[in-house]
Amino acid sequence: MASNAAPKPPLGTPFRIRDDLICVGSWSTAAKGASVQTVDGTGKRVTVTRLALAGPFAFALKKKTGDLSVVVCGADGTTQVTKIGPKKAQDVMAWAIAFNAWAQA
């Protein structure tokens, strides 16, 4: 990846970087003028099945729950909000940090 290229979003997420645009579905805005914010609503819980199968180790194997809300803000004031499942949440948060650092450079 070239140093001046936007970081690629994680596979399996609704985000795309194409022709210097960040796209969410059919909505798009200039990538260099966009910021990506995450609102972490994810959590972890112990399920009965995990407790029965893993015993006291179930507390280390908590199930991820909830969705991550991602807000993409364009320089023109438009925004797009999307939800990401808990399995992709950590990857999307890391990408959002990298994207914002790239956009501010």
Side-chain angles (χ1 to χ4, degrees), residues 1-9 17 20-21 31-32 95 98-99 102-103:
M1 176 176 11
S3 62
N4 60 352
K8 293 186 180 200
I17 304 291
D20 294 326
L21 297 174
K32 205 57 168 160
W95 170 74
F99 179 86
W102 170 83

Side-chain angles (χ1 to χ4, degrees):
M1 176 176 11
S3 62
N4 60 352
K8 293 186 180 200
L11 292 174
T13 62
F15 308 103
R16 303 287 175 262
I17 304 291
R18 184 184 60 210
D19 300 327
D20 294 326
L21 297 174
I22 183 170
C23 306
V24 182
S26 61
W27 180 88
S28 63
T29 190
K32 205 57 168 160
S35 65
V36 180
Q37 303 170 13
T38 57
V39 181
D40 191 4
T42 60
K44 293 185 177 185
R45 64 183 174 92
V46 176
T47 63
V48 174
T49 305
R50 288 174 196 260
L51 191 58
L53 294 174
F57 298 106
F59 295 101
L61 303 171
K62 294 178 182 177
K63 182 177 181 177
K64 293 180 182 179
T65 60
D67 289 328
L68 176 74
S69 294
V70 181
V71 182
V72 180
C73 307
D76 59 357
T78 60
T79 61
Q80 183 67 28
V81 179
T82 190
K83 300 264 187 198
I84 302 296
K87 291 183 180 180
K88 294 284 183 183
Q90 190 168 359
D91 292 339
V92 170
M93 285 191 282
W95 170 74
I97 292 168
F99 179 86
N100 288 334
W102 170 83
Q104 292 174 5

